[in-house]
Amino acid sequence: DNDSSLPHPKTITGSREYSMYNVSTAGRQPLPFAMAEKIDNAIAATMKVNPDGKRTIDVYLCWDKEKLTNIAFLDNGEGMDKDGLTNYGTYNFSQKARGIIDENSELDQDPLAMSGEIGFFGVGGQHSVFYMGYKEHIMTRQAPSSSKKSANKDKPGMVRDMLISGKRMHALYKAGDKDNVYKYPNVARPAGSLETLDENEKHPTIVKLIEAEKERKGSFSLFIISEIRDGPKDHKGFDELNQNPAEQFKKLVKDLSRVYHYFLHGKDGQVAGGDDVATSGEDE
């Protein structure tokens, strides 16, 4: 007889137990490295659609009563349609396999630190998400001119919306509903609609970002991480973010600027007197 089995959700959500990721941070606060995975994906998306134009990647840390509640990433990359979003949610389906990065692209010809293609910490995008929180909400739209012909193409102006919840995966698996463990809600909604938001996602900054969809032109992707996890026992950085947000935010920016130093400033490094990165995404 033949039998079938699915990987346990812990395969995806158990990022805290991957010693290679903890070791890769060399005893430092791991949050910048986890965030770098998401930023790296955004760089690839923006470089493909805006190679010579303005590429924007914004990172938001949202606090409520000195508690970090949400981490959000917004980029003006090519966005995703229904099929693209399904592919994004498929475990271990790389950017190259999804066609976001060409096998022979210029990104592959440069050192990783120069291209921004640094997503090689051994965890990948989904692992980094679940290292930070238990839930990721993706909201994305393609520009009409960039949308490929597909039966799943959305109407102009509509936003594609998908929720990936680690707790939901575990609950379904435990209940024996294994057919739906890795099926995520993937819907099209009007721009600016808040109907798909959970209560723990309704931070004022998150609400403003979604309401701004009505005025936002072109393609974009917004990734919202919620149900932020407590810091691992051997890394106090997560907890320190709650204890002293302003100071820890500056440290986080500094760590990220080091990760992306050569990508930001070129092969000769930072020009004397220049800034590392913009810090307009700070929320307290």
Side-chain angles (χ1 to χ4, degrees):
D1 293 335
N2 293 323
D3 197 3
S4 62
S5 61
L6 290 176
H8 193 281
K10 202 171 185 179
T11 305
I12 302 175
T13 64
S15 303
R16 293 297 178 86
E17 300 179 12
Y18 286 81
S19 60
M20 182 164 61
Y21 185 49
N22 290 330
V23 170
S24 73
T25 65
R28 298 180 179 179
Q29 146 68 309
L31 183 56
F33 295 89
M35 293 175 69
E37 296 281 356
K38 303 301 293 181
I39 295 171
D40 190 44
N41 287 345
I43 288 174
T46 57
M47 292 186 79
K48 183 172 183 180
V49 71
N50 295 314
D52 301 313
K54 183 178 180 181
R55 302 193 299 270
T56 303
I57 302 172
D58 295 322
V59 180
Y60 299 85
L61 301 182
C62 305
W63 279 272
D64 181 20
K65 297 180 180 179
E66 299 185 351
K67 173 78 173 175
L68 183 63
T69 59
N70 308 95
I71 303 174
F73 303 83
L74 174 65
D75 69 68
N76 67 338
E78 64 176 345
M80 293 173 277
D81 59 11
K82 181 179 180 180
D83 294 334
L85 199 50
T86 298
N87 290 339
Y88 171 83
T90 302
Y91 178 63
N92 207 24
F93 196 11
S94 70
Q95 293 184 65
K96 288 183 179 180
R98 286 154 50 199
I100 293 178
I101 297 179
D102 193 313
E103 290 285 353
N104 301 312
S105 72
E106 294 182 3
L107 288 176
D108 293 330
Q109 312 307 317
D110 296 321
L112 300 180
M114 292 290 293
S115 68
E117 189 184 349
I118 62 170
F120 291 84
F121 291 112
V123 287
Q126 293 299 329
H127 281 170
S128 70
V129 166
F130 288 111
Y131 202 91
M132 293 181 276
Y134 287 103
K135 181 169 64 177
E136 181 181 33
H137 204 154
I138 308 100
M139 304 172 185
T140 181
R141 181 179 67 204
Q142 288 188 323
S145 59
S146 65
S147 296
K148 299 178 182 179
K149 291 183 178 180
S150 169
N152 292 324
K153 182 178 178 180
D154 296 321
K155 296 180 180 179
M158 296 293 282
V159 174
R160 181 55 54 175
D161 189 303
M162 185 169 77
L163 180 66
I164 301 176
S165 170
K167 292 182 177 179
R168 176 180 178 273
M169 282 189 277
H170 281 273
L172 289 172
Y173 192 93
K174 186 176 181 179
D177 189 5
K178 297 182 180 180
D179 290 340
N180 291 310
V181 170
Y182 300 110
K183 293 181 180 179
Y184 314 124
N186 185 343
V187 301
R189 60 164 175 80
S193 172
L194 304 175
E195 61 184 10
T196 61
L197 276 189
D198 288 339
E199 285 300 317
N200 58 17
E201 297 174 310
K202 293 183 179 179
H203 186 280
T205 296
I206 301 299
V207 172
K208 288 180 182 178
L209 289 173
I210 296 173
E211 290 177 339
E213 292 172 349
K214 291 180 289 187
E215 284 74 40
R216 191 174 293 128
K217 297 181 180 180
S219 57
F220 71 88
S221 291
L222 173 63
F223 304 85
I224 305 167
I225 299 173
S226 305
E227 299 177 359
I228 303 300
R229 303 175 72 157
D230 294 329
K233 294 180 180 179
D234 54 342
H235 291 289
K236 297 181 180 180
F238 281 65
D239 301 320
E240 289 175 354
L241 276 169
N242 292 326
Q243 296 169 7
N244 194 339
E247 180 179 342
Q248 294 304 317
F249 181 85
K250 292 178 181 179
K251 289 183 179 180
L252 178 60
V253 170
K254 190 173 184 179
D255 284 340
L256 283 172
S257 69
R258 287 172 175 169
V259 172
Y260 288 101
H261 180 84
Y262 290 103
F263 175 75
L264 290 168
H265 304 294
K267 63 180 181 179
D268 296 324
Q270 183 180 6
V271 177
D275 295 329
D276 281 332
V277 292
T279 59
S280 59
E282 177 179 1
D283 286 311
E284 293 189 52

